[in-house]
Amino acid sequence: MSRSDTHRVCLDPPCLHGVETITITSSRRFPRHAHDQFGIGVMMEGAHASWSGQGAVEAERGDVLAVNPNEIHDGAPIGAFRSWRMVFVEPSVVAGFTGSALSGREFAFAAGRMPQTASRVRRLLDRLQQGEAACAEEALSTLLDDLLAAPAPASSHAFDAQPSPSALRVIERIQDSPDAPPSLDEVARLMDLGRTAALRRFRREVGATPQDYAMQLRLRLARRALAAGDSIAEVAAATGFADQSHLTRAFGRQFGLPPGRWRSLRGHRNIVQDAE
């Protein structure tokens, strides 16, 4: 397989509740999406460009990567491919580790040259991969406490730190029925703007169009249901996809693996090549 069509994903069996680790080597472009968890990792090889809550960023080998829950972002290789390792942590687990409420606390960066932090992240990932739960828990707790020491400044965001009340009305409408997202006419009514102005403003404030926002929310709900043991067909029907194939294609674009392989790998360390 040539470097230009590389796509390998490695999931490690979790050794801490609410904590997942993943290694990806890929030439693929990932569309705008979001995660439910906090994510922290390291670029291992190649380089990567992305749009994030911090604006447009680039990461090279050795750089630290970070993403906050619900932060919409995308990603593309700079060159043929890139490889990175990430640990994803549920917000409730982060709150338990840091011993405080998470309101206003987040990673204040999306990518950065931070050699000491990168070394700490790599050691943490190694301990999680090797199943050293006690050492990993201590390392993760101190790392998060250091990196989430203070709220991120509002000026660090490329889009508005808090969507306007009109955009929040659209978000609430989508969250109520993500499987039946609002039409552009309904978005315009909710925002009290013309169709084009409403679409432009929502995308600027939220980072995605209403339809894209609804799609990534449906996929995150699908991921939770799959993790809980529901069948792919059941999940597809429950989250508003036309059929199992529709869910499989959309899931693969967002998470890098089709749903069946993603679920099968969660408990067994394995490598998937060219996962379609």
Side-chain angles (χ1 to χ4, degrees):
M1 182 170 58
S2 69
R3 290 295 197 186
S4 63
D5 59 2
T6 297
H7 188 68
R8 299 187 182 94
V9 178
C10 178
L11 295 173
D12 295 312
C15 72
L16 291 175
H17 174 71
V19 179
E20 296 181 351
T21 57
I22 187 170
T23 302
I24 301 177
T25 300
S26 182
S27 58
R28 292 185 181 178
R29 300 176 63 92
F30 288 86
R32 289 190 178 184
H33 63 283
H35 301 277
D36 295 319
Q37 311 101 322
F38 288 89
I40 185 78
V42 177
M43 185 66 68
M44 303 301 294
E45 192 173 357
H48 175 94
S50 65
W51 184 95
S52 73
Q54 315 303 318
V57 298
E58 294 184 357
E60 300 177 349
R61 181 177 180 178
D63 286 354
V64 178
L65 310 171
V67 64
N68 295 298
N70 303 312
E71 180 182 354
I72 295 177
H73 59 287
D74 59 16
I78 300 175
F81 76 104
R82 76 285 200 205
S83 179
W84 68 103
R85 300 174 71 191
M86 295 288 295
V87 53
F88 288 100
V89 190
E90 294 291 339
S92 60
V93 174
V94 174
F97 281 158
T98 59
S100 62
L102 289 175
S103 178
R105 302 186 70 190
E106 61 180 28
F107 295 125
F109 66 97
R113 177 63 56 172
M114 307 160 65
Q116 292 184 340
T117 300
S119 295
R120 294 173 67 187
V121 174
R122 283 194 293 267
R123 287 196 297 271
L124 167 64
L125 285 160
D126 289 343
R127 286 168 175 166
L128 288 166
Q129 186 181 74
Q130 293 159 12
E132 300 175 3
C135 291
E137 185 173 30
E138 290 182 353
L140 181 57
S141 178
T142 56
L143 179 66
L144 291 172
D145 194 47
D146 289 344
L147 295 180
L148 296 170
S155 60
S156 69
H157 287 261
F159 53 87
D160 294 345
Q162 177 66 35
S164 64
S166 60
L168 286 173
R169 288 196 293 271
V170 179
I171 289 173
E172 291 170 358
R173 161 66 178 81
I174 294 171
Q175 291 174 339
D176 286 342
S177 300
D179 57 336
S183 66
L184 188 50
D185 285 335
E186 185 178 356
V187 171
R189 288 196 300 272
L190 287 168
M191 298 188 71
D192 195 25
L193 292 169
R195 288 158 50 100
T196 302
L199 185 61
R200 184 187 305 115
R201 181 168 181 174
F202 187 90
R203 181 178 173 85
R204 184 183 70 244
E205 295 184 0
V206 178
T209 68
Q211 292 292 322
D212 287 342
Y213 186 91
M215 174 59 77
Q216 60 90 13
L217 178 57
R218 289 161 61 198
L219 288 167
R220 288 154 63 192
L221 292 171
R223 187 173 182 266
R224 293 179 205 168
L226 288 164
D230 294 351
S231 72
I232 299 174
E234 289 172 336
V235 172
T239 50
F241 289 91
D243 52 32
Q244 183 171 324
S245 295
H246 185 200
L247 170 61
T248 296
R249 290 192 300 272
F251 194 97
R253 283 195 300 270
Q254 178 154 327
F255 298 116
L257 285 170
R261 290 183 180 178
W262 174 82
R263 183 163 58 187
S264 69
L265 292 177
R266 293 185 76 241
H268 304 280
R269 188 171 187 271
N270 206 340
I271 295 174
V272 174
Q273 291 185 330
D274 287 337
E276 293 294 348

